[in-house]
Amino acid sequence: MELDIIDYLRSHFPKLKKDFYPIFTTELKRDSFVYFFRPISNDYVSESQLEIRIIAKDYDKAVELANKLDEVLAFKRDDPYKIFGNTKFRGVKTGGGCLFQDGVQRFEYTLFYAIKWRAING
């Protein structure tokens, strides 16, 4: 599931597809995404929380990337589940915010999504 969701996001950010990192990054020359998955429930339809941090030199770029993430991952109530790879899923934005990391001189825009998903076969 995790790799399918990240591959889905990479497909929507072709210029940054190599800049998705689990847990942390030391890459500060380019904008990047750092992500964490946390299980919430495990059943026929499971739920996980995705925390994704946008690390950007420019605030406006961080906001632009956050808005695009919302377009591709924050589903509307009527939107159907997406199928990508072996995962059928839908996301709902549950929060987030932006802060400036003074030590590295970068903006860190953190977003939280609740992802309902299930594995599918072929």
Side-chain angles (χ1 to χ4, degrees):
M1 175 280 297
E2 293 178 11
L3 291 177
D4 287 339
I5 302 292
I6 296 305
D7 286 345
Y8 169 77
L9 293 175
R10 284 182 175 130
S11 73
H12 286 87
F13 294 90
K15 291 181 182 177
L16 296 171
K17 70 181 178 183
K18 293 183 180 182
D19 296 312
F20 281 79
Y21 301 98
I23 304 175
F24 76 96
T25 183
T26 57
E27 174 57 61
L28 296 175
K29 293 179 181 176
R30 298 185 309 270
D31 297 335
S32 61
F33 298 92
V34 175
Y35 62 90
F36 312 83
F37 282 93
R38 292 178 187 87
I40 295 172
S41 66
N42 192 9
D43 205 349
Y44 177 73
V45 176
S46 298
E47 188 170 3
S48 297
Q49 179 189 54
L50 169 61
E51 176 181 335
I52 190 159
R53 296 179 182 174
I54 301 161
I55 311 296
K57 186 183 268 188
D58 179 68
Y59 176 77
D60 291 333
K61 183 65 173 182
V63 170
E64 176 188 326
L65 292 171
N67 289 337
K68 180 150 185 185
L69 267 174
D70 280 349
E71 287 177 21
V72 300
L73 203 52
F75 291 45
K76 305 288 186 262
R77 183 180 299 219
D78 299 356
D79 290 346
Y81 278 69
K82 295 274 186 202
I83 296 175
F84 199 89
N86 291 318
T87 306
K88 187 174 187 176
F89 69 95
R90 62 180 286 114
V92 176
K93 185 177 180 181
T94 59
C98 188
L99 56 89
F100 185 72
Q101 291 288 356
D102 200 31
V104 294
Q105 297 293 301
R106 295 289 181 272
F107 290 93
E108 183 177 297
Y109 203 122
T110 304
L111 297 165
F112 297 93
Y113 297 92
I115 309 288
K116 289 192 177 189
W117 62 274
R118 73 177 180 91
I120 56 173
N121 295 325

